[in-house]
Amino acid sequence: MIDETLQKFAEELLSEVEEGLSSDVPFSQEVFTRTVLERLEEAGHLEGTFDLYQEGRLRNGAAYRIDGYAFDEERMHLDLFTTIFHTDLPPEKLPAADVSKAFERALRFAGACMDGLASQLEPSNTDASDLARLIETKASEIGTVRIVLLTNAMVGKFAASSDWRGRKIGQETYDIVRLQRILGEGQTRADISVDLVALTGRPVPSLHAPTQDGEYDAYLTVLPGEVLSKVYERYGAQLLELNVRAFLGLQGRKSVNAELRRTIVEQPSMFLAFNNGIVATVDDLDVSEVGQGACEIRSLRGLQIVNGGQTTASLHRARRKESLSLANVAVPVKIIKVGGAELSEMVASISKAANRQNTVQLADFSANDPFHQQVETLAKNTWLDDGRGRWFYERARGSYLAAEQKAAYRKTEQQTFKAQTPKNRRLSKLDVARYLTAWSGLPHRVCLGGQKNFQHFMQRLKDEPPPPPDAAWFKKLVAIAILYRAVEKKIRSMKFPAYGAQIIAYVVAGLSHRTGGRIDFGRLWSRQQVSVELERLVEDWAPLIDAAMRLSAGQRNPSEWYKKEECWKEIQMALPSLSDPLPPELSYSETDGSTILAPIGTHSVADYERIERCMKIGSAQWLEVAEKGQKSGVIHYKVAGICRTLATYAAGGWERKPSVKQAKPALEALLAAERAGLLQSTVTDEAAS
């Protein structure tokens, strides 16, 4: 007999899967896999996941099957996901034989890929064939393979393998109990359990420093570098959930990580003396007192590295990617077990005080970032034009489910909540980062995966703080979300053999680039859907952009190439052209912002072509037009000001794009400067017409 909370969660998950069924995605198992992978990535348990169903048989008749994958090139860690989905309620316990069979089939796929499965798969340009080639190419470098079972049933104990083809093999399950704990209750750290005795062969000697007020207990110890590397290999970014900084790499001789590497190579025994060490928090630990403050730690639960993520990742990189020995490397560690204090507040305080190598601001803790708090407030207070519905911004993981459960206490409230904020109007932080990043012309960042893209998104917010979001900004955000999801739905229905998610990001970025990022957001907000004409444009563009992406990849692995800025630069030069008649979202009338003035006319293909021409001209040339044109009297000072503005846009990589009202006079000014002999010819008369 399962408890009521678990039963309720299982029912809601099943309902969500059934709601997600469509002619594009007709199989419950596929919807379940995609839903769970997305939500586990939001929760920080997984990173860079892709749903991918592939099954078949080897020449000896043995079956293989996977439902998704994730490949971490930094850690050389391959995750293969396999799904068992049932429509039965209440959830039942899976037979051990079914669990073992699922693991074996997925592992068989990995082995087949290493043995050349790619050459046997037809057609040769699918997600599965590209994954098979990637695994075959990286076979000698892949250090860890983990098979992860996703299921809405319950899984008991199972016999896990530890070795496979000379590699570590991990077997893990996300069953309904664990999913409820992570996605329903929002717990994400509890699953990190580190057995120090198993890793080091004995308990780790430590010094215990309790506080008088009981707010926390501190333990000072030293851990072998090998141990930290193995823990990071096992848990990856999940270990750094509360330390959101990404690994900064080894670029530059003066960088912190380069110094760490130099110490490992040249003076490993001095690492303890030279390095500040790490600061970690734990939910609990198994410790025994020895006397006079001395103790021994046997295991840690809920481990989080809140300072020292750079050190941890550098140690792992040195061991796994460069085969450097960590035998003589020791790392000082301060472990904090939080007692009466609030964990999030304690972590923020520790990180502010401890991070001196690369400053971490309070904004790094994304859920408490003022930006996300403001977006949440706007979502609550910005109603659709009918006054009956609104969008829900899930600032903290699980807050939508919590709000839904709260409303469920009364039937009328439950009906109201579902009517006002249905699941299809839920926005997560990863959603917002994905939509805005693609529309900002950074589709290669979207292709990094949800968590990595979100880290870049937050860094951009800190590097270039935008004005505080207001209601108009929020409506534009929702409009972009509607557009992105419409593109997503259309492209999924077209059933591309590979890289649908990447094509979606590049199509959205392509639309933004071609239109200068200026479409009728008001129409999208008021109608809450895109026009049939825009869907047709996406349908026309998608195969062309897919072909351009494939061509630009050449002999490279496409999934890795699409993550590169160089790829996007090539695709920009190969984007399809716009043609009449334009969809209403593109041919809309635009005012100068006044509610009194009449529209200045509708956008045309020529308008968007002018914007595109402007963006082919560099910052230096726009400045030259402005300075020489104004000085000679050929260009009015106001038009010179427009040219200077475009110069700043160009210098910023055209993240901001020219408007229709800027593009025409700017090109006319450029043409006038050419005719006056002030600069070399760059455009024709037709370009400015």
Side-chain angles (χ1 to χ4, degrees):
M1 180 100 180
I2 66 172
D3 65 62
E4 186 178 342
T5 304
L6 182 60
Q7 171 74 10
K8 180 72 173 172
F9 177 79
E11 290 173 358
E12 289 169 345
L13 185 57
L14 182 59
S15 173
E16 188 171 349
V17 169
E18 290 173 348
E19 288 175 10
L21 290 172
S22 65
S23 57
D24 307 333
V25 191
F27 301 110
S28 300
Q29 181 170 289
E30 185 179 348
V31 177
F32 173 78
T33 302
R34 181 176 295 171
T35 300
V36 169
L37 288 179
E38 286 178 353
R39 293 180 64 184
L40 285 174
E41 190 157 350
E42 285 178 29
H45 270 245
L46 302 174
E47 189 171 342
T49 63
F50 295 93
D51 55 293
L52 167 61
Y53 177 77
Q54 178 67 22
E55 68 173 347
R57 289 188 178 275
L58 303 179
R59 287 173 180 154
N60 63 5
Y64 63 78
R65 189 186 117 188
I66 62 167
D67 292 86
Y69 76 96
F71 180 64
D72 187 334
E73 192 170 17
E74 184 63 46
R75 294 189 293 146
M76 279 300 161
H77 181 107
L78 173 67
D79 283 339
L80 293 175
F81 304 106
T82 182
T83 297
I84 298 178
F85 177 77
H86 291 305
T87 56
D88 301 330
L89 287 173
E92 297 181 354
K93 187 174 179 179
L94 284 179
D98 289 359
V99 175
S100 297
K101 184 178 179 182
F103 283 139
E104 288 167 5
R105 287 184 307 189
L107 194 56
R108 208 171 281 138
F109 174 82
C113 291
M114 291 180 180
D115 295 338
L117 177 65
S119 62
Q120 303 169 34
L121 295 176
E122 293 293 339
S124 61
N125 63 338
T126 63
D127 279 324
S129 58
D130 281 339
L131 173 61
R133 275 189 289 273
L134 175 65
I135 294 173
E136 183 179 359
T137 304
K138 303 288 186 181
S140 62
E141 301 173 62
I142 294 173
T144 306
V145 177
R146 182 173 63 157
I147 310 299
V148 182
L149 172 63
L150 309 174
T151 180
N152 64 335
M154 293 186 287
V155 176
K157 291 184 179 180
F158 58 90
S161 304
S162 58
D163 255 342
W164 176 76
R165 295 194 176 196
R167 298 171 178 80
K168 288 186 181 287
I169 180 72
Q171 293 177 340
E172 196 166 339
T173 62
Y174 284 91
D175 68 349
I176 192 66
V177 176
R178 190 177 181 195
L179 289 174
Q180 192 273 332
R181 188 168 69 245
I182 296 167
L183 306 179
E185 299 175 3
Q187 296 178 352
T188 59
R189 302 184 310 276
D191 295 303
I192 299 181
S193 181
V194 179
D195 187 338
L196 293 176
V197 175
L199 288 170
T200 65
R202 59 185 176 83
V204 175
S206 307
L207 289 176
H208 181 204
T211 56
Q212 292 182 348
D213 55 14
E215 281 194 312
Y216 66 90
D217 282 293
Y219 298 86
L220 306 178
T221 189
V222 175
L223 287 178
E226 188 88 9
V227 168
L228 276 177
S229 172
K230 288 179 178 178
V231 173
Y232 181 75
E233 184 170 285
R234 169 68 178 81
Y235 293 106
Q238 188 183 346
L239 190 68
L240 312 176
E241 178 195 344
L242 296 177
N243 181 358
V244 299
R245 290 179 301 155
F247 180 53
L248 299 179
L250 296 168
Q251 294 81 7
R253 295 180 60 187
K254 298 293 185 182
S255 75
V256 173
N257 299 313
E259 291 297 328
L260 290 175
R261 183 190 181 281
R262 189 173 295 112
T263 302
I264 293 169
V265 173
E266 298 174 4
Q267 297 174 286
S269 62
M270 297 301 294
F271 197 93
L272 180 66
F274 292 168
N275 189 264
N276 290 334
I278 68 174
V279 181
T281 61
V282 294
D283 293 339
D284 200 5
L285 68 172
D286 180 2
V287 62
S288 56
E289 299 290 339
V290 176
Q292 297 183 331
C295 62
E296 292 181 332
I297 303 175
R298 302 182 63 83
S299 65
L300 306 169
R301 185 174 64 80
L303 175 67
Q304 291 284 279
I305 295 177
V306 296
N307 174 248
Q310 302 286 322
T311 297
T312 307
S314 293
L315 289 170
H316 179 266
R317 182 189 182 109
R319 183 176 73 92
R320 289 294 313 145
K321 296 202 76 173
E322 302 183 62
S323 301
L324 299 178
S325 173
L326 302 182
N328 296 317
V329 173
V331 184
V333 181
K334 179 166 61 178
I335 300 171
I336 307 294
K337 180 189 176 186
V338 179
E342 171 62 35
L343 178 62
S344 59
E345 293 177 7
M346 175 69 78
V347 169
S349 299
I350 291 170
S351 287
K352 279 179 64 183
N355 281 280
R356 291 291 179 260
Q357 296 171 342
N358 297 285
T359 303
V360 172
Q361 303 172 11
L362 281 175
D364 287 326
F365 304 97
S366 57
N368 295 322
D369 188 307
F371 170 81
H372 295 290
Q373 291 175 334
Q374 290 162 353
V375 176
E376 182 183 48
T377 300
L378 287 167
K380 289 178 179 177
N381 297 320
T382 307
W383 294 82
L384 303 185
D385 291 350
D386 62 10
R388 294 184 225 169
R390 55 186 173 177
W391 284 67
F392 188 99
Y393 184 58
E394 195 167 39
R395 177 173 65 87
R397 285 194 302 272
S399 59
Y400 182 90
L401 184 61
E404 190 177 41
Q405 289 174 343
K406 183 180 178 183
Y409 290 122
R410 292 185 180 178
K411 191 171 183 180
T412 54
E413 289 183 11
Q414 183 181 26
Q415 292 171 343
T416 301
F417 179 83
K418 288 184 176 180
Q420 289 180 353
T421 52
K423 283 189 175 74
N424 66 339
R425 289 206 292 262
R426 168 187 169 269
L427 281 172
S428 71
K429 296 195 297 294
L430 266 61
D431 287 336
V432 169
R434 179 164 54 249
Y435 303 156
L436 293 183
T437 300
W439 192 253
S440 296
L442 301 168
H444 52 288
R445 293 268 179 86
V446 177
C447 294
L448 291 171
Q451 286 292 338
K452 287 184 179 178
N453 176 57
F454 181 74
Q455 289 171 353
H456 282 292
F457 176 75
M458 292 301 297
Q459 191 63 50
R460 285 174 60 216
L461 285 181
K462 287 188 295 178
D463 292 343
E464 301 175 21
D470 55 16
W473 178 93
F474 182 75
K475 290 179 179 181
K476 180 179 176 181
L477 165 66
V478 169
I480 294 172
I482 292 167
L483 172 65
Y484 195 103
R485 290 179 178 183
V487 172
E488 190 172 45
K489 183 177 180 182
K490 172 55 69 175
I491 288 177
R492 282 179 176 170
S493 73
M494 296 172 73
K495 300 192 183 302
F496 283 89
Y499 304 112
Q502 291 91 332
I503 297 169
I504 291 162
Y506 274 82
V507 167
V508 171
L511 281 169
S512 176
H513 186 79
R514 271 283 183 260
T515 61
R518 300 170 189 277
I519 64 173
D520 194 347
F521 297 114
R523 176 191 171 95
L524 288 169
W525 165 262
S526 62
R527 301 197 178 204
Q528 292 288 297
Q529 62 182 14
V530 303
S531 66
V532 173
E533 293 86 349
L534 186 56
E535 285 186 351
R536 287 199 198 105
L537 186 149
V538 171
E539 192 171 12
D540 291 340
W541 273 33
L544 300 175
I545 290 180
D546 175 43
M549 292 167 68
R550 285 281 185 180
L551 182 63
S552 72
Q555 298 302 310
R556 308 177 188 93
N557 179 267
S559 64
E560 296 305 310
W561 172 240
Y562 298 158
K563 299 173 184 176
K564 308 292 185 184
E565 184 177 4
E566 293 80 5
C567 175
W568 170 232
K569 286 180 178 178
E570 287 191 26
I571 300 305
Q572 286 180 61
M573 307 304 294
L575 288 174
S577 299
L578 294 170
S579 59
D580 289 318
L582 289 170
E585 291 89 348
L586 275 61
S587 62
Y588 68 105
S589 299
E590 181 182 53
T591 70
D592 64 355
S594 167
T595 56
I596 300 173
L597 296 177
I600 61 172
T602 57
H603 290 185
S604 65
V605 171
D607 290 327
Y608 292 119
E609 288 175 348
R610 291 189 192 101
I611 290 171
E612 183 184 358
R613 292 188 187 107
C614 284
M615 292 169 61
K616 289 181 178 177
I617 297 166
S619 177
Q621 186 145 26
W622 280 124
L623 278 176
E624 188 179 12
V625 171
E627 300 301 327
K628 291 184 178 180
Q630 185 177 349
K631 186 176 181 180
S632 65
V634 171
I635 299 171
H636 191 275
Y637 76 92
K638 287 185 178 180
V639 177
I642 292 174
C643 294
R644 291 189 184 94
T645 299
L646 296 194
T648 63
Y649 291 176
W654 296 107
E655 194 164 322
R656 293 189 65 184
K657 299 174 178 64
S659 68
V660 170
K661 291 189 292 183
Q662 290 171 322
K664 194 171 193 306
L667 287 173
E668 289 171 348
L670 182 63
L671 182 59
E674 288 173 0
R675 286 172 172 168
L678 301 179
L679 62 157
Q680 293 183 346
S681 177
T682 56
V683 296
T684 64
D685 289 6
E686 181 269 335
S689 64

